[in-house]
């Protein structure tokens, strides 16, 4: 009697294999030992096939003491779908937000078991990092850009209409330090190169006053609010800003990927600031106050998982760098540029004496304007009278 081996049949169908055991068992006068010898299996396997069900039993453990509770597992799935984070960022995010320490491997298994989709981004073959992040010195490399707040594609309709109805600021000016991801922010109702030069000068003055001694390189696009692609204008701006050790480096046309760090921050502005807080503001003052809180949250409390950050906040990265820059540099005031313009005028006056410009200001007038600028903003809280006199003397005012 030619019989196909039990184990080969089992690979095809466990049910058919056990039916074979039952037939051989009946043909041999229900002798368990003889049946096991013919089929080349153990007597336990024969008894299991005869007295048990034909299908395989579940191998799932009846108890699992170390398994996460269903509430925690649902929380992980919910936050993963909402934020789009994967296991590494999600583990840090859950610990900071809920104080729950869950290993990365556990989260990875839960996401895989529940088939939570992964958001992927296509990158060009051979693409390299924009900077040598490990060798960067804090506050030496920056990216500068503006954001149009009234954007129907990125904001819900009700938020968009609220900003228009209450005449809130329409434009955001951002400068981000690449090494620490520290942000310096201002707002305005209009885009103009006067505001662009004012914002760059404002941040440069703030950095120099807080002991930033390295050259400052700023990468920016060719927008009309900056140099607008004009070589003459770029040369003029670089000449004026060279007195502050600032160098502007516009990106080539159609090379927005070179501004990836600051472009990614715009999405966070929409999701964590505008969509939540814009509707709660009915005046520009309320908006600027909430914008200040958002900037402080970004700089002090929001962890970053980009290259060189390893889940640290900008302030934590700054402390780890052991830089000699004053930590008060993180208290940059979020301002409305129109208010600065009314009290100070354009910042070109700070450089007219050096360059022999069209407008001439006396030493007394320039020093007075500079002091009004410092004292008219919340910079006053971070600068002493000695700082003001030192910086005025540094500019030759």
């Amino acid at each position: 009697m030619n019989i196909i081996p039990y184990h080969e049949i089992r690979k095809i169908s466990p049910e058919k294999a056990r039916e074979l055991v039952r037939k051989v068992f009946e043909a041999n006068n229900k002798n368990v030992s003889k049946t096991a010898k013919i089929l080349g299996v153990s007597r336990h396997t024969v008894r299991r096939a005869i007295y048990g069900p034909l299908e395989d039993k579940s191998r799932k453990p009846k108890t699992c003491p170390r398994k996460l509770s269903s509430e925690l597992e649902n929380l992980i799935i919910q936050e993963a779908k909402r934020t789009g984070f994967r296991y590494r960022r999600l583990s840090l995010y859950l610990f900071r937000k809920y104080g729950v320490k869950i290993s990365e491997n556990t989260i990875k298994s839960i996401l895989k078991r529940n088939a939570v989709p992964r958001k992927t981004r296509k990158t060009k073959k051979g693409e390299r990092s924009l900077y040598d992040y490990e060798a960067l010195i804090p506050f030496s490399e920056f990216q500068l850009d503006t954001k149009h707040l009234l954007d129907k594609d990125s904001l819900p309709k009700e938020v968009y209409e609220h900003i228009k109805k209450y005449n809130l600021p329409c434009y955001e000016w951002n400068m981000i330090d690449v090494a620490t991801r520290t942000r310096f922010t201002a707002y305005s109702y209009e885009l103009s190169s006067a505001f662009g030069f004012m914002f760059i000068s404002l941040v440069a003055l703030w950095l120099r006053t807080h002991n930033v001694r390295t050259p400052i390189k700023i990468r920016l696009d060719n927008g009309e609010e900056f140099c607008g692609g004009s070589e003459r204008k770029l040369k003029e701006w670089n000449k004026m800003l060279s007195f502050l050790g600032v160098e502007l480096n516009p990106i080539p046309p159609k090379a927005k990927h070179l501004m990836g760090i600051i472009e990614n921050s715009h999405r966070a502005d929409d999701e964590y600031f505008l969509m939540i807080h814009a509707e709660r503001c009915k005046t520009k003052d309320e908006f600027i106050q909430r914008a200040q809180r958002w900037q402080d949250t970004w700089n002090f409390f929001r962890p970053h998982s980009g290259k060189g950050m390893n889940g640290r906040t900008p302030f934590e990265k700054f402390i780890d760098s052991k830089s000699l820059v004053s930590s008060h540099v993180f208290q940059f005031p979020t301002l409305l540029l129109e208010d600065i313009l009314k009290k100070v005028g354009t910042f070109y006056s700070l450089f007219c004496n050096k360059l022999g410009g069209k407008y001439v200001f006396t030493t007394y007038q320039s020093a007075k304007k500079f002091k009004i600028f410092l004292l008219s903003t919340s910079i006053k809280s971070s600068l002493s009278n000695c700082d003001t006199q030192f910086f005025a003397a540094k500019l030759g005012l």
Side-chain angles (χ1 to χ4, degrees):
M1 181 177 180
N2 294 327
I3 301 176
I4 302 176
Y6 170 84
H7 295 291
E8 291 187 10
I9 298 178
R10 177 169 172 73
K11 292 178 182 179
I12 303 173
S13 173
E15 291 81 5
K16 296 294 182 181
R18 292 191 179 98
E19 288 179 359
L20 173 64
V21 173
R22 292 183 179 184
K23 290 180 181 178
V24 175
F25 179 73
E26 293 292 338
N28 288 275
N29 298 322
K30 299 182 178 182
N31 189 317
V32 174
S33 298
K34 192 173 182 179
T35 302
K37 187 175 182 180
I38 293 173
L39 296 175
V41 297
S42 66
R43 287 176 293 177
H44 174 74
T45 301
V46 174
R47 293 190 183 94
R48 160 74 176 80
I50 295 171
Y51 302 112
L54 291 176
E55 65 277 359
D56 284 341
K57 292 182 179 180
S58 173
R59 296 186 177 184
K60 181 179 179 181
K62 296 181 179 179
T63 60
C64 187
R66 300 180 63 183
K67 181 183 177 182
L68 285 182
S69 63
S70 58
E71 291 79 9
L72 273 180
E73 186 166 332
N74 291 335
L75 176 64
I76 292 172
I77 297 171
Q78 177 183 347
E79 292 293 348
K81 291 180 178 179
R82 188 180 66 83
T83 61
F85 294 166
R86 299 307 293 173
Y87 58 93
R88 184 167 291 113
R89 291 184 69 186
L90 195 57
S91 175
L92 181 62
Y93 176 79
L94 292 172
F95 178 70
R96 287 182 176 272
K97 184 174 181 180
Y98 300 104
V100 180
K101 186 67 175 179
I102 304 175
S103 72
E104 296 176 4
N105 291 332
T106 301
I107 295 177
K108 187 176 182 179
S109 300
I110 291 173
L111 298 181
K112 183 177 180 180
R113 183 168 66 248
N114 291 276
V116 178
R118 179 176 183 176
K119 296 181 181 179
T120 58
R121 296 181 181 179
K122 293 184 179 179
T123 57
K124 296 180 180 178
K125 186 177 180 180
E127 185 176 351
R128 298 180 180 179
S129 298
L130 299 179
Y131 303 90
D132 183 1
Y133 293 93
E134 297 301 328
L136 274 179
I137 300 174
F139 308 110
S140 61
E141 291 276 357
F142 288 85
Q143 291 187 7
L144 169 65
D145 199 9
T146 56
K147 173 179 172 56
H148 295 244
L149 302 185
L150 284 175
D151 188 349
K152 290 183 177 180
D153 295 331
S154 59
L155 293 179
K157 183 179 179 181
E158 57 272 15
V159 177
Y160 177 87
E161 295 297 335
H162 182 87
I163 294 176
K164 286 183 62 178
K165 178 181 178 181
Y166 290 97
N167 193 30
L168 301 180
C170 303
Y171 300 99
E172 180 180 90
W173 303 74
N174 281 323
M175 192 182 295
I176 292 186
D177 171 40
V178 176
T180 64
R181 303 303 198 274
T182 306
R183 276 177 40 140
F184 303 92
T185 312
Y187 293 86
S188 69
Y189 286 95
E190 296 180 359
L191 283 182
S192 70
S193 59
F195 284 157
F197 188 83
M198 179 189 297
F199 181 62
I200 294 171
S201 303
L202 177 67
V203 176
L205 290 171
W206 180 265
L207 294 173
R208 292 306 183 200
T209 308
H210 289 84
N211 203 37
V212 176
R213 294 292 176 257
T214 58
I216 299 173
K217 296 182 180 180
I218 301 176
R219 181 178 293 179
L220 66 165
D221 60 22
N222 294 283
E224 294 298 329
E225 67 273 21
F226 301 121
C227 297
S230 170
E231 291 292 336
R232 179 194 60 79
K233 194 172 185 180
L234 176 63
K235 185 177 179 181
E236 180 183 341
W237 280 28
N238 272 328
K239 187 176 181 181
M240 288 189 285
L241 293 171
S242 64
F243 295 109
L244 294 174
V246 175
E247 179 185 351
L248 304 180
N249 298 310
I251 62 174
K254 299 181 180 180
K256 271 290 188 181
H257 62 280
L258 298 177
M259 303 283 287
I261 294 176
I262 197 165
E263 291 292 344
N264 289 340
S265 72
H266 290 170
R267 177 182 175 184
D269 287 333
D270 289 331
E271 295 181 352
Y272 298 104
F273 174 52
L274 294 175
M275 290 184 183
I276 300 173
H277 297 283
E279 287 187 291
R280 302 174 183 177
C281 305
K282 295 185 179 180
T283 64
K284 66 178 183 180
D285 292 335
E286 291 179 359
F287 182 85
I288 294 298
Q289 288 176 4
R290 289 187 179 270
Q292 180 71 64
R293 295 176 193 171
W294 166 235
Q295 178 180 273
D296 293 339
T297 299
W298 178 283
N299 289 338
F300 287 99
F301 305 109
R302 190 175 190 271
H304 296 263
S305 57
K307 293 183 179 180
M309 293 301 292
N310 300 322
R312 290 172 290 183
T313 67
F315 188 73
E316 290 172 345
K317 178 65 181 295
F318 168 76
I319 296 299
D320 292 342
S321 70
K322 295 179 171 53
S323 173
L324 297 179
V325 176
S326 172
S327 60
H328 290 163
V329 73
F330 282 82
Q331 297 177 10
F332 182 81
T334 301
L335 303 169
L336 188 66
L337 295 181
E338 279 84 358
D339 291 343
I340 302 299
L341 181 65
K342 291 176 183 178
K343 296 180 180 180
V344 183
T346 64
F347 273 55
Y348 289 103
S349 59
L350 293 176
F351 305 92
C352 284
N353 290 337
K354 295 287 185 183
L355 300 177
K358 181 178 179 181
Y359 300 98
V360 179
F361 296 93
T362 65
T363 303
Y364 172 77
Q365 289 174 327
S366 297
K368 185 177 180 181
K369 277 196 170 186
F370 179 66
K371 193 168 183 180
I372 290 174
F373 156 67
L374 291 177
L375 298 179
S376 64
T377 66
S378 55
I379 297 177
K380 178 181 177 182
S381 62
S382 299
L383 293 181
S384 66
N385 188 40
C386 294
D387 294 328
T388 305
Q389 293 175 358
F390 164 77
F391 205 77
K394 195 73 174 176
L395 291 176
L397 300 177

